[in-house]
Amino acid sequence: MSLHFILVAGPLVRASSWEPTAECLRAAGCHVRVPDVLAHHRPPPSWRAWTSQLLEHVTGGNEPIVVGHSSASVLAADLATRLPARGIIIVDGEVPPSQGAAFPVRPDGMLPIWSRWFARDVQRMSLVGLDVLARDAVAFARFESGLPRMHIGWFDDAIELANWDYIPAGFIQTSAIYDHAAIAAQQRGWPVTNLRGTHLHPTLHPAETANAILAMSRQLVPGGKH
């Protein structure tokens, strides 16, 4: 059975952040969908409604492996129980609770677009990979285009996760930001891969990210082909 992926971006960035990796997976013979909720909703939907909006754009097809990047880790777990899915891969994000209330990562203060959160924090810019992306003004402008500005109250919402422990899951770490999450994944007995890059690895190093996803998928879904 060929591999079918749904790549989910965090609500603070556009689905285009996944497209470079998606193209590499498609070139490997995989079926890939990258739903873009922000392309269809102004203003953005609530956190608890986000999965329902994803479902509107991923109906049909074989049971997928859901891959969530960054704050989409919770969305990936929620979406996987509703489809259903063959597996879950979290890329550089928090490990969600097995069930129950799951909140978005809450920032402090008033919110500019996500790419400007770290403008005065050189170290964080480097860990995220925004410093690399900013070297190409055209690419950076394309990345920032359409990024949402969230009201601080948006982060007070919660998704009620159904139990998803029965779905095979793995973790791909791409930055030191998520050292703690990689440890949490290991404690759950998941396979863990560390690419030793930045948080924006799916955008900046898509071939390596795609290869890691394929390798992880073969561990989660024996017999899966690409």
Side-chain angles (χ1 to χ4, degrees), residues 138-162:
V138 174
F140 193 51
R142 186 165 55 243
F143 178 81
E144 289 195 318
S145 176
L147 293 187
R149 294 194 67 174
M150 301 294 201
H151 187 276
I152 193 70
W154 185 91
F155 295 86
D156 293 329
D157 202 4
I159 288 174
E160 287 292 330
L161 290 175

Side-chain angles (χ1 to χ4, degrees), residues 118-140:
F118 319 110
R120 298 182 181 180
D121 187 337
V122 175
Q123 182 180 13
R124 191 75 171 185
M125 284 273 289
S126 177
L127 288 171
V128 171
L130 286 168
D131 59 336
V132 177
L133 196 60
R135 293 172 192 165
D136 184 333
V138 174
F140 193 51

Side-chain angles (χ1 to χ4, degrees), residues 37-38 40-46 50 148-150 154:
V37 170
L38 292 171
H40 303 278
H41 295 276
R42 292 288 188 273
S46 67
W50 209 277
R149 294 194 67 174
M150 301 294 201
W154 185 91

Side-chain angles (χ1 to χ4, degrees), residues 108 117 140 148 217 224:
D108 298 318
W117 285 13
F140 193 51
S217 299

